[in-house]
Structure formats: structure tokens, C-alpha cells
Amino acid sequence: MSDTTVTMPLEEFDSIRTASSEFKTLRRKLSECTKADLSEYKEELKRLDIFGDGMSNEDIDKFVLDASSKIKIIVNKSKAIEIFLEYLCFGKSGDYGYFDEMSKDEIKNINIVFE
């Protein structure tokens, strides 16, 4: 690998460094509000280990695909809403402006919908 030098204004470098730091903070916060529950998935895979002898590759692929539906991503609703409001709505106008005016009780009533 060769050494490469990049020349840029200090303000631009500081902006990139700040954005990188903010991104790391956001990733940390997202990881703190989610967790994966693989217990049922692992149980299904154990069943495959026990009973899978003689199954075709196609059947094994289907079994693993079906087993993947047992994986649960658990999201802490209140933390997810906090992150949404902090990073996505701050200072925005239009529909997002409504969030700035909501009480804490109203914010707790927000639904999170995954598509």
C-alpha cells in the first residue's frame, strides 16, 4: 500500500472529523436501543443438525430460510423515538416541525412502524 497525502482546508478537515464523531455516537446509540434474539433460530438449527441427515441441499436451504423467520430484532421504542427526534427532526420544518411542539406524553404515544 502506498502512502497518500491529501491537502484540504483545516475547516473542511474539522467538519469531516465532527461528522465522523457524530456518526460513531449515532451508531452507539442505535446499538444500545436494539438487540437480537436468536434463541428460536438457534433451536431450529440444532434440529437441522439432529434431523438433517439425508436432506437435499434444496431442503436444507429452505429449512434455514424458514428458520431465519425466528430471528427477532428487539427495538426499545422510547430510545428509538429519542434518536429519531434528536438526529432526524431537530430544526426541520414541514411535518417534522410538529415534533418540536409535542409534550413528552405525546411523544410516548408515537407508533413505530416497520415496512
Side-chain angles (χ1 to χ4, degrees):
M1 183 187 271
S2 64
D3 290 339
T4 304
T5 302
V6 175
T7 304
M8 69 175 67
L10 187 56
E11 296 82 21
E12 187 175 342
F13 177 75
D14 285 341
S15 175
I16 292 170
R17 184 177 11 193
T18 299
S20 174
S21 176
E22 289 173 0
F23 178 72
K24 287 176 185 173
T25 300
L26 175 59
R27 283 185 58 189
R28 180 184 50 76
K29 288 181 177 186
L30 286 172
S31 70
E32 290 171 355
C33 85
T34 60
K35 64 182 176 180
D37 178 355
L38 301 171
S39 57
E40 291 181 39
Y41 174 71
K42 289 178 180 179
E43 288 298 318
E44 288 294 304
L45 294 183
K46 284 180 190 175
R47 285 185 50 223
L48 178 63
D49 284 343
I50 295 169
F51 302 111
D53 288 344
M55 290 176 74
S56 69
N57 285 344
E58 184 178 304
D59 288 339
I60 291 171
D61 289 345
K62 183 180 179 333
F63 187 92
V64 172
L65 179 63
D66 290 344
S68 68
S69 71
K70 306 286 185 184
I71 297 172
K72 297 174 187 159
I73 305 296
I74 301 163
V75 179
N76 179 305
K77 178 183 172 183
S78 61
K79 286 184 180 181
I81 290 170
E82 249 178 59
I83 292 167
F84 173 76
L85 294 173
E86 181 179 354
Y87 285 91
L88 301 176
C89 295
F90 181 73
K92 290 203 174 177
S93 59
D95 287 343
Y96 289 99
Y98 289 103
F99 295 110
D100 290 335
E101 300 170 12
M102 292 179 124
S103 69
K104 288 185 180 190
D105 287 336
E106 290 171 319
I107 288 171
K108 287 179 186 177
N109 284 329
I110 294 173
N111 293 309
I112 296 176
V113 179
F114 292 97
E115 292 183 345

